Amino acid sequence: MSTTQMDPAPAQSDDADIRALLRNSLDTVLARHYSFEQRRDARENEARESQAAWAAYAELGLLALTLPAGHGGLPVSLADLAMVVEAMGGAMVLEPYAPAMVAARLLSAAGSEDQQAAWLPAICRGEVRVILAHEEANGGYAKPIAASATPDPHGWRLSGRKSAVAGGDTADLFIVSANTANGVALFLVPAADLAIRPARSFDWTGTADLMLDDVIIPTSARLTGGEAALAAALDEAAALACADAVGAIRAANALTRAHTSTRRQFGRSLDAFQVLQHRLVDMTIAQELAAPITAAAIAACAAATPAERARAVSAAKVKVGEAARYVGEQCVQLHGGMGLVQEYPAAHLFARLSLFELSHGGRDYHLERYAELVL
Amino acid sequence: MYTAREQAFAEEVRAFVRSECSEDVRRKVFEAVAVTAQERLAWHKALHARGWAAPHWPAEHGGTGWSPVETYIFSETLAEEGAPDLGSFGLKMLGPTLMQYGTPEQKAYYLPRILSGEDIWCQGFSEPGAGSDLASLKTRAVLDGDHWVVNGQKMWTTMAHESNMMFALVRTDPDAPKPQMGISMLLIDLKTPGVDIRPIILLNGERTTNEVFFDNVRVPAENLVGEPHKGWTYSRVVLGNERLSIARIGLNRRQLARLKRIAAQQGLTTSPLFRARIAEASIELDALEAMATAMLDRARAGVAPGIEANMLKIKGSELQQRLTRLLVEAAGRSAAPFGPGAADPDRPWLARLFKSHFDTRVVSIYGGSNEIQRNIIAKSLGFGASR
Ligand SMILES: Cc1cc2nc3c(=O)[nH]c(=O)nc-3n(C[C@H](O)[C@H](O)[C@H](O)COP(=O)(O)OP(=O)(O)OC[C@H]3O[C@@H](n4cnc5c(N)ncnc54)[C@H](O)[C@@H]3O)c2cc1C
């Protein structure tokens, strides 16, 4: 049941070395920055604590993973990145690590050489946080993008709204998706040029709504890549979110097992009641189903055709979504009242897992997309 | 499900809520915003003035003398219309217990004060080590002259910080042959020296519940309900009250209406998948209502509810959880923001959906968890009896 089980067998021993090294440094940094108490402090003294954690990620090279070496990146595999994201999910980190990595990868896939050279080195060093702003409020992962970009004498005029953008509250730079007369395009927009309404999500991670009220941006802000690059990035984002959820599912199961083995009622430990044993077994089964299908989705993002990728990602999103729901709910239920309090991790895990289910397209969206591909 | 006469009664109640309960407060309830203690008290006073604060009480104690069915219709209509809950502790739990087991002095003093809202009660049963296994509670009361001296800790005491009185279960005979037989029920004034109330904050950031510590708290001997060491029996009666309304039909109707409204706003009423989910939830509610109606019919014939009430508790709580989950699903990720700065000026209700989703997790935990309800049903059906 180790995390490495979900990774495909390493092609060469080099990869295995890199992975072991990563795993080690990750454990160190999460242990240093992410005790439950530190997480609370990070929320209360937002800026300071979170900056420290981000700097530590940069120092360990975590912000450079999978990015081109020529721009300061460390070209490891997407599976390696997923392993890191999973560990971050287990520690319930508040910083938008996965969203920032998705956006940085999108920049390297869809940006011109100049755009990459201008931003990627600073991104890898942790000096610039980049975030993809795509989802909109009107119910709409599946819906066509309403935000629009129209030509303007000075470049482009952006208008529309982006809703509940994960990590948008601390971003320095956004990649904004918008409709042009010739289809969907992507634009690099500094956060300073936008009206932003920052907030916390129920699980304490940061979020923001972006108001694009006739923002004028230069022609050079448009990325070379468009719709296809965006689709790949959205699938990657969903697959990496699955990895984060797998981490949180493992953490919730470990927490629930520990609690039910020590809490006693009616003269017995809770895990001596058979009905609760079955519940714990089903939680474990959910975890064991979620991890490999996530690995398959990650692999499909790295190698497959767009259709195969979409199918694998939707399958993972549905299955990991089910696991997240079941494990999150049972984690709370089996803790009793303790499962709801702010000073204990159970409710936080429930919130993170619930939010995962709602993000990157809900169950219905992925069921429909999957059905389109297989029927 | 109602007769014509019952229907007319429901309409009378509905009209009363709409005219006497402020629009603001009802909107808060509809949108799952916390109602303040003052707002709740104002509504309590309005009901009291109409003689409806405690409909289920017998007329001699200031109740309405309504039948169980009328009482049921009344409470479900209130819930449907968004009237704030008055809290069950005084009106639904302690009041009936005192009527049955209290001394004449206790009845004369406390019942009018419960009715008027002058005393606000909380329930001190659970402890850190005694949740589902309530009989293992440890808070001790020792008789010293004409006072009980109380030491120990209660936990999860909802509203303790907004109450002036607590009815508590305490251990008065540690040597009783069974733990249940050494427990008494005490009425404790929370302003007594030695009482320390500390908040428990849930992940929604709210203080609804508390820890209450007792350090040599002196409680007058006459504040023991009924007889010593009978508290367990009394508490079973307390917890058994309000069984007709246990499925929360009115509340679930209100949430279903909220779901339909939000699904329409989100453009989801044309999605075949989402329509099916709403239909399923609505059918579940119809089924629960039909089952509750059957229970009402038996109540009309004078048959007290049995384990079907436990079944309705399980299914009603699961439906509450299903409906609030559908609410967040309807909003998708835009339900994520919460707390300061979260409200989208165009759609302020979004920022409360996730809280509702979180808050309903408790309904399968308290009041006897759903696991404990199933244990009760299993035992009552005789499963394993031939072992
Ligand atoms: C918000 C909130 C408000 C509350 N308000 C009050 C109040 O005002 N007054 C008051 O006295 N109490 C109150 N409670 C306490 C509530 O009644 C208890 O939480 C409940 O009894 C469960 O106890 P516990 O939390 O200790 O969980 P535990 O008893 O530790 O149970 C943990 C899990 O184990 C399961 N379990 C336990 N025993 C068994 C078994 N034999 N078989 C199968 N499963 C089992 C439970 O179902 C649960 O899922 C409140 C609780 C909360 C969360």
Side-chain angles (χ1 to χ4, degrees), chain B residues 42-106:
Chain B
W43 172 234
H44 189 142
K45 299 233 181 271
L47 281 171
H48 183 48
R50 183 75 172 76
W52 285 358
H56 51 294
W57 288 17
E60 55 165 316
H61 293 300
T64 53
W66 289 340
S67 69
V69 178
E70 286 163 322
T71 309
Y72 169 89
I73 294 172
F74 177 77
S75 74
E76 297 299 354
T77 307
L78 255 50
E80 239 175 83
E81 287 297 313
D85 219 321
L86 292 192
S88 357
F89 300 128
L91 290 164
K92 299 203 174 127
M93 295 180 170
L94 182 63
T97 310
L98 286 180
M99 286 172 213
Q100 204 168 339
Y101 302 107
T103 63
E105 293 76 20
Q106 286 167 348

Side-chain angles (χ1 to χ4, degrees), chain A residues 135-140 143 161 163-167 197-207 209 263-267 273 275-276 279 325 329-330 332-343 347-352 354-355 357-360 363-365 367-368, chain B residues 127-134 136 155-156 200-206 266-268 271-274 277 321 325 328-347 350-351 354-359 361-362 364-365 369-372 374-375:
Chain A
E135 276 192 67
E136 299 180 358
N138 53 335
K143 298 226 176 107
R161 305 254 315 253
S163 170
V165 178
R197 194 172 50 233
R200 288 272 170 192
S201 291
F202 202 91
D203 72 346
W204 291 9
T205 57
T207 177
D209 286 355
R263 167 83 172 164
R264 298 178 72 81
Q265 292 286 277
F266 304 100
F273 295 109
V275 66
L276 299 189
R279 223 68 76 75
R325 173 183 297 188
E329 290 178 355
Q330 294 305 323
V332 169
Q333 183 69 21
L334 268 53
H335 276 87
M338 277 306 286
L340 300 169
V341 302
Q342 193 170 78
E343 290 297 304
H348 296 261
L349 287 161
F350 168 79
R352 193 176 185 100
S354 287
L355 199 53
E357 224 202 320
L358 302 179
S359 304
H360 308 286
R363 182 179 173 81
D364 289 356
Y365 167 76
L367 283 175
E368 274 168 5
Chain B
E127 297 182 3
S132 299
D133 182 13
L134 187 56
S136 69
M155 194 161 171
W156 310 115
I200 297 176
I201 308 294
L202 303 186
L203 185 58
N204 60 20
E206 281 178 1
Q266 294 294 99
L268 282 168
S271 151
L273 286 180
F274 207 79
R277 288 186 210 294
Q321 294 175 338
R325 197 173 56 216
V328 287
E329 279 179 30
R333 218 196 115 77
S334 15
F338 179 74
D344 177 338
D346 299 334
R347 297 174 309 157
L350 271 179
F354 209 103
K355 178 180 168 335
S356 293
H357 172 52
F358 172 78
D359 286 354
R361 296 322 304 176
V362 78
S364 54
I365 293 173
S369 73
N370 282 7
E371 287 77 17
I372 296 298
R374 286 185 166 95
N375 286 349

Side-chain angles (χ1 to χ4, degrees), chain B residues 241-257:
Chain B
N241 283 323
E242 213 205 345
R243 286 165 68 85
L244 276 179
S245 281
I246 208 159
R248 315 293 313 261
I249 303 286
L251 171 71
N252 277 317
R253 280 250 169 268
R254 195 172 79 212
Q255 291 290 38
L256 181 65

